[in-house]
Amino acid sequence: YSLGDPARLQESTEEIVSWLSGRRLLGPDVRVLDFGCGIGRLADRLAPEVGMVLAADVSRDMAALARARCARHRNVAVHV
């Protein structure tokens, strides 16, 4: 989707968050499963908008990157 373009990747992330927000699917009582989280870009962006994010990826390397990216959020758990 982003073809390696960081600006386009940021736009797509914001598009997803906007879509979820517009449908009232975000909030402090919401729990999100980010399955196939990759580097954790969506988990990182959703963390301030929801109560809990469970991010998971089959790749240990990707999960490690997501874990590092989301380390500042107490409401994000990353699993392989």
Side-chain angles (χ1 to χ4, degrees), residues 12-77:
S12 66
T13 301
E14 292 304 321
E15 182 180 347
I16 293 166
V17 173
S18 177
W19 188 89
L20 292 168
S21 180
R23 282 149 187 83
R24 298 182 181 176
L25 297 173
L26 303 178
D29 296 327
V30 173
R31 297 180 196 169
V32 174
L33 172 61
D34 185 359
F35 188 74
C37 68
I39 61 173
R41 69 177 173 86
L42 189 57
D44 181 51
R45 178 58 185 84
L46 286 173
E49 309 291 332
V50 299
M52 176 68 183
V53 179
L54 174 58
D57 203 283
V58 297
S59 166
R60 289 188 188 283
D61 292 340
M62 289 294 189
L65 290 170
R67 198 171 288 114
R69 179 184 214 123
C70 296
R72 68 176 186 250
H73 301 294
R74 292 183 179 193
N75 64 334
V76 177

